[in-house]
Amino acid sequence: MSDKLNLLDLTREEMVEFFKEINEKPFRAPQVFKWLHQFVADDFEQMSNISKDLKAKLKEICVIEGPEIIEEQESKDGTVKWALRTKDGQAIETVFIPDGERGTLCISSQVGCALDCSFCSTAQQGFNRNLTTAEIVGQVWLAARRLGALRTTGKRRVSNVVFMGMGEPLQNYTPVVNACDILLDDFGYGLSKRRVTISTSGVVPGLNKLIQNADVALALSLHAPNNELRDQLVPINKKYPIEVLLPSVQQYLNDSNASKKVTIEYVMLKGTNDTAANARELAELLKDLPCKINLIPFNPFPKTRYETSTQKDIDRFGEILIKKGFIVVTRRTRGDDIDAACGQLVGEVLDRTRRQERLKRKAGDIEVRTVS
Ligand code: SAH
């Protein structure tokens, strides 16, 4: 384990400061930054416009260290899931979801999660620790290395990044905001503001802070049309109830230069939040909020008390909202044969028995690659 500075941890501005500190010309910083994020280099030797002396100096005091791949699985629908290991042996997951020209990377912001949403399997493992900027950006860096980066292949495979993997991004504020900075930077991944989405369960202080940095799209895990039900599903609602949360979301939209609509995420749980009355109440609640509604069929996991709503109930729910004028998208479940669907991301790589059983069960459908 090295305690050298990991260059993946630095925004371009921080890298300029760092170069000044080590008595190097500041203009070298964006050059190195480009090598890291556009050419996804992992070795200083690849940096052809950097002098020998500077390369030697950087090698002495820094590293370029992405997460280690424990396992790479590809679903029959093209979804790829990586189980990754951090330096201190923690497991996180990252998922790539291709869809025509679009390629969405779903990244984690924490190891585990403290929020305890009752329908989410990450909640079951509890909260372990926050990820660093390098560990967050490292997931995008690694995906670009495995799938091909714009500058090396001429193709941008990862066009969108969503913070919908493990963890609550707004409870890991600074590393997440710095990671977004690197994702949007033209010297970095150069993603458009509308194509980087922070998804939150409603951490209002974090959201209010984000208003000052309102540079990315926002998704809100609402899941219920009233406080009584939301208290049960998303317990942080007891602290920041709907009447406090929605005005804060509205404020974010007013000030944001990324997107003027919030994506409302609504997991469809049979007999819990999927009735016609729930849909009508939701329409009433959201009538003044610029939004599009994403209905997510619940993805089951072992020992859960919930079931997925029937297709009929999901359709009825959606139709009620559409009739009221909302834009509604029912999310297709992707990668469920590799447990890569929403809410199925857990640090289960550490649980070898379960993993081997699952691999046996799914044999034939998926490809498991060993990565050297
Ligand atoms: N903590 C953040 C981001 C992680 S979860 C948040 O709450 O938004 C990403 C999305 O997946 C959230 O909308 C979450 O509610 C949803 N989700 C969690 N578990 C799920 C499950 N088992 N089935 C379907 N969606 C789930």
Side-chain angles (χ1 to χ4, degrees), residues 18 46 94 116 125 130 196 205-206 254 274 284 288 303 340:
F18 172 65
Q46 293 163 305
T94 304
D116 208 22
Q125 84 178 85
N130 281 326
V196 175
N254 294 347
D274 65 349
E284 183 57 28
D288 296 323
K303 297 206 194 107

Side-chain angles (χ1 to χ4, degrees), residues 112-321:
C113 188
L115 291 182
D116 208 22
C117 298
S118 58
F119 54 87
C120 179
S121 69
T122 303
Q124 296 194 326
Q125 84 178 85
F127 174 66
N128 215 315
R129 73 164 170 85
N130 281 326
L131 294 180
T132 62
T133 300
E135 288 166 334
I136 299 170
V137 170
Q139 297 169 62
V140 185
W141 177 86
L142 189 116
R145 284 175 64 83
R146 298 296 298 159
L147 303 167
L150 185 61
R151 287 296 278 262
T152 52
T153 63
K155 233 183 147 222
R156 194 196 287 282
R157 294 290 302 281
V158 175
S159 61
N160 296 54
V161 172
V162 295
F163 284 83
M164 294 184 188
M166 294 164 72
E168 168 52 49
L170 294 184
Q171 287 196 328
N172 184 19
Y173 191 82
T174 305
V176 164
V177 166
N178 286 351
C180 289
D181 191 327
I182 298 170
L183 295 180
L184 301 183
D185 194 324
D186 284 338
F187 288 78
Y189 296 87
L191 296 178
S192 123
K193 296 170 200 283
R194 281 168 296 116
R195 291 170 178 264
V196 175
T197 303
I198 289 188
S199 175
T200 180
S201 56
V203 180
V204 169
L207 192 54
N208 290 343
K209 220 161 128 191
L210 197 68
I211 291 172
Q212 270 106 82
N213 283 295
D215 249 356
V216 292
L218 183 69
L220 174 66
S221 295
L222 189 63
H223 307 311
N226 59 56
N227 283 326
E228 196 190 344
L229 189 50
R230 194 162 192 266
D231 281 351
Q232 292 168 35
L233 302 177
V234 185
I236 198 168
N237 192 66
K238 292 180 201 149
K239 206 160 171 193
Y240 309 114
I242 292 174
E243 65 278 11
V244 173
L245 176 58
L246 292 189
S248 180
V249 170
Q250 178 64 64
Q251 191 59 47
Y252 184 86
L253 296 180
N254 294 347
D255 292 4
S256 169
N257 45 28
S259 169
K260 291 293 172 198
K261 276 194 181 127
V262 59
T263 301
I264 298 291
E265 297 166 277
Y266 196 100
V267 63
M268 297 299 293
L269 304 165
K270 189 176 180 176
T272 300
N273 65 354
D274 65 349
T275 64
N278 294 143
R280 286 192 288 269
E281 198 180 357
L282 185 66
E284 183 57 28
L285 180 69
L286 298 178
K287 68 177 192 303
D288 296 323
L289 187 72
C291 64
K292 53 180 189 241
I293 301 174
N294 221 323
L295 300 180
I296 315 171
F298 170 64
N299 293 306
F301 50 88
K303 297 206 194 107
T304 177
R305 69 184 115 127
Y306 297 109
E307 283 176 61
T308 313
S309 302
T310 61
Q311 192 56 51
K312 208 170 127 230
D313 285 347
I314 297 176
D315 291 344
R316 177 186 58 183
F317 199 94
E319 273 154 28
I320 293 172
L321 294 167

